[in-house]
Amino acid sequence: MLHSMSTTVATASERSAAEVNEEIRALWRRSGGTLTTEQRAEYQRLVMEWAAAAPRGRRAA
């Protein structure tokens, strides 16, 4: 599955944490495991979006 890089920041209500996580995984697959400076910036943006969309109140088992 190919994904294009997002150019806008989606709010937590627009995409689920699972959707953002899939985009993060796709970014790593496309990069071959090494992120360029531009890809790092995209990764950081995605992680912030994922954190905003992640369910609250769950504790790790």
Side-chain angles (χ1 to χ4, degrees):
M1 180 185 303
L2 294 177
H3 295 273
S4 61
M5 276 196 190
S6 299
T7 56
T8 60
V9 175
T11 63
S13 63
E14 291 177 9
R15 297 198 303 173
S16 70
E19 290 173 310
V20 179
N21 189 44
E22 178 54 35
E23 189 169 343
I24 291 169
R25 290 174 183 268
L27 174 63
W28 279 106
R29 283 191 299 269
R30 285 192 311 271
S31 75
T34 303
L35 298 176
T36 65
T37 301
E38 183 178 293
Q39 289 169 323
R40 262 185 240 141
E42 176 70 1
Y43 174 75
Q44 290 174 342
R45 186 196 64 76
L46 288 168
V47 168
M48 295 299 290
E49 182 181 345
W50 175 86
R56 302 280 191 270
R58 289 191 175 182
R59 293 169 50 113

